[in-house]
Structures are given as structure tokens and as C-alpha cells.
Amino acid sequence: MTVETAARTAIDSRQMREAMSRFCSGLTVVTGMDPSTGEPIGFTCQSFSSLSLEPPLVMIAPSRTSRTWARISETGAFTVNVLAEHQEWVSRTFGRPITNKFASVPWRLGSTGAPRIASSAAWVDCTVHAQYDGGDHHIIVGAVKGLDVSRYDRPLLFHRSAYSRL
């Protein structure tokens, strides 16, 4: 048995989740347009990171089972909305499997045609640059086409499976 095989059999998903919950992450909502209906769609995403300054690239990692990401990816464009500390309700709304998540969320179209959520700490308009296999997730590299920050500079955080603030 190789070291890699031994490590894989010794770690179960509960252990992995418990260890990774010790890492504090920010919360984002990834948005796009449904190509079949023309309606805005989105999902809460913790797996987001800046990847490169030259060229400007970011990374998201949606679940392979995400039907929302499957629809957004068909358009080739998305926006990452970095949630501010007052937007826990937005995270919860987009984290649930409900229709018309935008009914109570103010937004406007960004430069790529994907929705920007109002009052977010920042937004990053992207096109899909590359996609890779990431186990039970996709690894999506987004080419940054536009971005900005708002006056809401304190982020909404997630730590040990709970919302947190600075």
C-alpha cells in the first residue's frame, strides 16, 4: 500500500469536514443568468480565492451536484458577490433550494450580464477561463472582467459550521 492510499483510507469525510471547519472562510454568492429562462440564478459559495494578479484570475469551486452552476456555466459568465457582514440572510437565501432567490434581493446586471447583488462588500465579474476536476467539486478559474468594492468593508465569515463576524 502506498502512502497516498493509506492516507486516503485513514481519512473519512467527517474528519475532513471537522478539520477544514477550523479554517475561517468568507462567503460569496455566485450569480449568473439561466440560459433557458433568462432569469437570474445563484448559489452560496465558500470556496473562492484570488488566484492571479497578472492576468487577473479568481477561483471558485462549486459542487459537482450543483444544478445552478451547471446552468450558469452554459453562459460562460458569472459574478462573485463577496458578502458583507449584514448579508447573512442573503447567504441563507442562496444556500437553500428555492426558486426565485432574487425575489427579495436587490441586484443589477454587471458587465458580463451576470447579476451583482446590492450592498455586497465587493463584486467580481468573470468569464470562465478554465475548468478542472476537483473530486466532488469543479475547480473553475474565472478571468476577471470587472470588479469593485462598496462602503461595506466588513465581510461575512464562516467558521466551525457557523456564521461569524470580525
Side-chain angles (χ1 to χ4, degrees), residues 29-33 38-41 78-81 87 94 102-125 146-151:
V29 170
V30 175
T31 57
M33 297 304 279
E39 295 295 319
I41 55 177
F78 62 96
T79 294
V80 178
N81 298 274
Q87 292 181 305
F94 283 86
F102 283 89
S104 62
V105 177
W107 61 279
R108 64 184 177 90
L109 285 180
S111 62
T112 61
R116 295 176 186 160
I117 296 175
S119 301
S120 295
W123 54 260
V124 184
D125 289 338
L147 67 147
D148 203 358
V149 298
S150 75
R151 64 184 178 94

Side-chain angles (χ1 to χ4, degrees), residues 5-163:
T5 304
R8 229 181 300 145
T9 59
I11 299 171
D12 69 30
S13 60
R14 284 177 291 147
Q15 287 177 304
M16 181 75 166
R17 186 180 309 272
E18 179 67 21
M20 294 303 107
S21 76
R22 297 308 196 258
F23 181 73
C24 184
S25 70
L27 285 156
T28 71
V29 170
V30 175
T31 57
M33 297 304 279
D34 186 326
S36 62
T37 66
E39 295 295 319
I41 55 177
F43 62 95
T44 298
C45 182
Q46 277 180 260
S47 300
F48 166 70
S49 178
S50 172
L51 185 60
S52 171
L53 294 176
E54 290 297 328
L57 302 172
V58 296
M59 187 270 324
I60 61 170
S63 170
R64 284 192 175 280
T65 61
S66 172
R67 293 179 304 201
T68 304
W69 172 252
R71 294 192 324 256
I72 291 172
S73 69
E74 288 180 40
T75 69
F78 62 96
T79 294
V80 178
N81 298 274
V82 178
L83 298 184
E85 69 180 354
H86 67 276
Q87 292 181 305
E88 181 178 329
W89 68 276
V90 175
S91 175
R92 290 184 186 281
T93 298
F94 283 86
R96 296 189 335 238
I98 59 173
T99 57
N100 199 9
K101 296 175 184 180
F102 283 89
S104 62
V105 177
W107 61 279
R108 64 184 177 90
L109 285 180
S111 62
T112 61
R116 295 176 186 160
I117 296 175
S119 301
S120 295
W123 54 260
V124 184
D125 289 338
C126 301
T127 56
V128 175
H129 176 76
Q131 181 170 315
Y132 303 98
D133 177 26
D136 57 4
H137 284 68
H138 299 287
I139 300 169
I140 309 301
V141 177
V144 177
K145 301 302 179 184
L147 67 147
D148 203 358
V149 298
S150 75
R151 64 184 178 94
Y152 301 102
D153 65 345
R154 297 179 65 88
L156 180 61
L157 303 176
F158 205 69
H159 180 250
R160 296 192 69 193
S161 303
Y163 290 98

